[in-house]
Amino acid sequence: MFTLPQEESRAPATGLGSASTRDSNYGDGLERECSRKPDQKLPDPCDPTAMFSSNSSYLSSRGGIIKWFWDSAEEGYRTYHMDEYDEDKNPSGIINLGTSENKLCFDLLSRRLSQSDMLRVEPSLLQYPDWRGHLFLREEVARFLSFYCKSPVPLKPENVVVLNGCASLFSALATVLCEVGEAFLIPAPYYGAITQHVCLYGNVRLVCVHLDSEVTGLDTRPFQLTVEKLEMALQRAHSEGVKVKGLILINPHNPLGDIYSPGELRDYLEFAKRHELHVMVDEVYMLSVFEKSAAYCSVLSLEGLPDPQRTHVMWATSKDFGMSGLRFGTLYTENRDVATAVASLCRYHGLSGLVQYQMAQLLQDRDWINQVYLPENHARLKAAHTYVTGELRALGIPFLSGGAGFFIWVDLRKYLPEATFKEEMLLWRCFLDNKVLLSCGKTFECKEPGWFRLVFSDKAHRLCLGATTWVGDT
């Protein structure tokens, strides 16, 4: 049994209590990136050959950078898949609490996806589709988003583009909105794979808006995003000669579980309008808000978007419907030029006609979604969350959790001998050596070493096994 290191006398600089949450009390592959050395830097997308040269004579400089992302982020992911826990075949294997997947509702999904109405084969489904997606699916997506995003007016299918997941969406939008070397602002910590999504094709960079765990000034919660912080990050980028073309918002947030209020969303959108910035809003966890006290507001629910031509919303079934392997994502934008440009890239990122038909059948089944799936999914997420947070409280480990998503942002800074990312990586490796895979804060560009993302959306017996790693004299 692995015992956490003895906590250091250094007290963490935070406004959190010993078990504070906001309610008063890697797939995604991110776990691979914890093994990246703290001093490793991303290649400069403005001049990829300046600090980087491929060790392969077969690859272009661009190909070398793409390979570099894979090679530099491999250890944890490879180790996990070589020793993956299986109740029957490998009961002493690694428990994955690092990848943000919902593993709680396979029984519900398998029954629904196996019903007879899900299987249909006709010529149009086997032929090349409209690259934006079949019209029947885009119509269903528009109705689905209108209902669940609580849009004040019905959303239009001509503003919908369908492709194989939000990773492809980030990549496509970065490519069509930015020139090489331009940038998006993004609040940090953030879902770290976005770095690859915008860089690999478009050679677009990210400018971090670093957030603090300590509540100071006008902040009301840890890691709070404000317009003042956005303005400062934008000015800093300009002073460094970096042209910023947009802002990325994740709502509900990954990894914080934060939910932006309607007022905050409008403030961020007004900021973007003042500076003529595009806003990419990732709402992939919008139906995974399991705390009844946590009120979620979609950007599409706002009356009169400040700049609708520069506001682009994405959603997918990978999180809310536990289908990360099916690869379905959708973009909603009123900007026809952006929609057309992204649709042109969909010839490389499209879905088969059979999958499009299945998705349309699923999204239109409002009775099953509202009466069966969502209530049970929320109940299971809540139960798993309650168990894990209870274990953390018992150990006196501080954490943040906003009642949305699949993860808890855990503060392990007091277990670092020194406040460095080297020590954070060593702690991450201790967990991995003791059969638990987590995602460390450096993966999310958190500026404070010692924060970890712990995914709780898993079956009880795996959570219980993972929790034994935390038990010890802390």
Side-chain angles (χ1 to χ4, degrees), residues 217-434:
L218 299 178
D219 292 356
T220 59
R221 62 183 185 272
F223 296 104
Q224 183 172 354
L225 177 64
T226 64
V227 171
E228 179 184 17
K229 295 171 186 176
L230 289 169
E231 293 281 5
M232 291 174 60
L234 182 62
Q235 291 173 13
R236 185 179 70 251
H238 287 168
S239 69
E240 295 172 355
V242 177
K243 185 172 183 179
V244 175
K245 292 293 288 291
L247 166 66
I248 295 173
L249 297 174
I250 307 171
N251 186 38
H253 193 273
N254 178 4
L256 301 177
D258 232 353
I259 299 173
Y260 297 132
S261 71
E264 287 174 323
L265 283 174
R266 190 168 290 279
D267 287 345
Y268 306 151
L269 294 175
E270 292 286 0
F271 157 82
K273 181 181 180 180
R274 284 197 301 275
H275 296 284
E276 297 185 346
L277 302 178
H278 290 272
V279 183
M280 296 160 56
V281 188
D282 179 355
E283 299 192 346
V284 74
Y285 291 98
M286 74 173 183
L287 298 181
S288 297
V289 181
F290 56 87
E291 289 286 4
K292 293 182 179 179
S293 60
Y296 174 72
C297 171
S298 167
V299 161
L300 294 174
S301 71
L302 299 179
E303 292 271 5
L305 290 173
D307 192 353
Q309 290 296 304
R310 290 191 178 91
T311 304
H312 319 293
V313 182
M314 59 181 75
W315 179 79
T317 55
S318 57
K319 309 301 182 182
D320 287 338
F321 284 94
M323 299 179 181
S324 53
L326 190 137
R327 312 311 302 144
F328 166 82
T330 187
L331 168 70
Y332 190 86
T333 177
E334 294 186 21
N335 189 312
R336 298 296 175 83
D337 290 341
V338 172
T340 300
V342 170
S344 181
L345 292 175
C346 286
R347 67 180 61 237
Y348 313 116
H349 301 289
L351 288 77
S352 75
L354 300 179
V355 170
Q356 292 193 46
Y357 177 79
Q358 285 184 309
M359 287 298 93
Q361 290 297 106
L362 181 71
L363 298 182
Q364 74 179 7
D365 192 353
R366 207 72 54 79
D367 288 343
W368 179 81
I369 294 173
N370 293 338
Q371 298 172 23
V372 178
Y373 180 74
L374 287 182
E376 186 62 24
N377 184 40
H378 291 165
R380 294 180 188 185
L381 286 171
K382 174 67 174 175
H385 178 269
T386 299
Y387 171 74
V388 173
T389 55
E391 293 293 309
L392 293 172
R393 287 191 182 94
L395 293 169
I397 295 175
F399 62 89
L400 299 174
S401 179
F406 308 152
F407 29 76
I408 300 165
W409 193 232
V410 181
D411 182 1
L412 299 180
R413 288 177 292 171
K414 62 185 178 183
Y415 301 108
L416 302 185
E418 297 179 42
T420 66
F421 288 110
K422 179 180 179 180
E423 292 295 337
E424 177 185 273
M425 190 265 284
L426 291 174
L427 181 56
W428 168 82
R429 195 182 301 277
C430 283
F431 280 108
L432 185 62
D433 290 343
N434 287 273

Side-chain angles (χ1 to χ4, degrees), residues 118-282:
M118 285 291 174
L119 181 60
R120 182 177 181 180
V121 179
E122 59 182 43
S124 64
L125 299 180
L126 301 179
Q127 297 163 357
Y128 291 122
D130 181 332
W131 293 118
R132 296 171 295 176
H134 281 291
L135 178 59
F136 66 78
L137 177 56
R138 289 186 286 115
E139 289 175 339
E140 209 54 64
V141 167
R143 285 190 286 267
F144 178 90
L145 294 179
S146 295
F147 181 82
Y148 289 104
C149 295
K150 300 180 181 178
S151 172
V153 296
L155 301 178
K156 300 175 180 179
E158 56 264 35
N159 296 337
V160 173
V161 182
V162 173
L163 68 174
N164 62 342
C166 283
S168 297
L169 258 175
F170 273 115
S171 181
L173 282 170
T175 300
V176 304
L177 296 179
C178 297
E179 304 294 345
V180 170
E182 293 181 340
F184 290 111
L185 292 176
I186 189 166
Y190 67 88
Y191 170 53
I194 295 174
T195 302
Q196 296 182 52
H197 300 342
V198 303
C199 177
L200 293 189
Y201 282 176
N203 278 352
V204 174
R205 63 175 65 182
L206 296 175
V207 172
C208 290
V209 184
H210 285 292
L211 308 179
D212 301 300
S213 64
E214 187 173 1
V215 178
T216 59
L218 299 178
D219 292 356
T220 59
R221 62 183 185 272
F223 296 104
Q224 183 172 354
L225 177 64
T226 64
V227 171
E228 179 184 17
K229 295 171 186 176
L230 289 169
E231 293 281 5
M232 291 174 60
L234 182 62
Q235 291 173 13
R236 185 179 70 251
H238 287 168
S239 69
E240 295 172 355
V242 177
K243 185 172 183 179
V244 175
K245 292 293 288 291
L247 166 66
I248 295 173
L249 297 174
I250 307 171
N251 186 38
H253 193 273
N254 178 4
L256 301 177
D258 232 353
I259 299 173
Y260 297 132
S261 71
E264 287 174 323
L265 283 174
R266 190 168 290 279
D267 287 345
Y268 306 151
L269 294 175
E270 292 286 0
F271 157 82
K273 181 181 180 180
R274 284 197 301 275
H275 296 284
E276 297 185 346
L277 302 178
H278 290 272
V279 183
M280 296 160 56
V281 188
D282 179 355

